[in-house]
Amino acid sequence: MSLQRIDTGPGFLGVAADAGHHDTLLRAHVMLRLARCDMAEAERALAEIAGLTALHQISGDYDLVAVVEAPHAEALDALVARIARQRGVSAAMTSRLRALVSPSRARSFASATPATR
């Protein structure tokens, strides 16, 4: 899997993976607080972790959000633990993503047609 840098201006916004998502994988968002002196190094190290499909800089109490996926709960837990142990990570909070609708009924909000007035 390779990660692609996403830029929309003068700042680094994140990276996204070119790998396709599989419906059988479990996913989570891992909010990360980083030590400021280690920010660039931590971002590079995190981007190399297999199972991490996106990494975004965010504002607020945390500095980054990592999107991760794994084939089963134990692998997801191990992946999150590996991320939390990375040099420069001072705090991590994980939210597992849960599917609310079947893939056949899911729709993309980005492609939804805006309502007319």
Side-chain angles (χ1 to χ4, degrees), residues 35-109:
R36 292 288 176 210
C37 60
D38 294 328
M39 181 75 78
E41 181 181 334
E43 287 175 351
R44 282 191 298 276
L46 289 165
E48 296 297 320
I49 295 175
L52 188 140
T53 60
L55 183 62
H56 301 281
Q57 285 186 349
I58 57 174
S59 61
D61 292 335
Y62 292 88
D63 302 302
L64 299 171
V65 60
V67 181
V68 297
E69 60 186 25
H72 51 81
E74 293 81 11
L76 186 64
D77 291 343
L79 177 57
V80 169
R82 180 175 176 203
I83 290 170
R85 288 191 310 265
Q86 288 291 305
R87 183 168 183 238
V89 174
S90 62
M93 180 181 71
T94 304
S95 295
R96 289 184 186 216
L97 302 178
R98 297 178 5 179
L100 297 177
V101 297
S102 68
S104 63
R105 295 186 58 208
R107 67 180 176 89
S108 170
F109 290 100

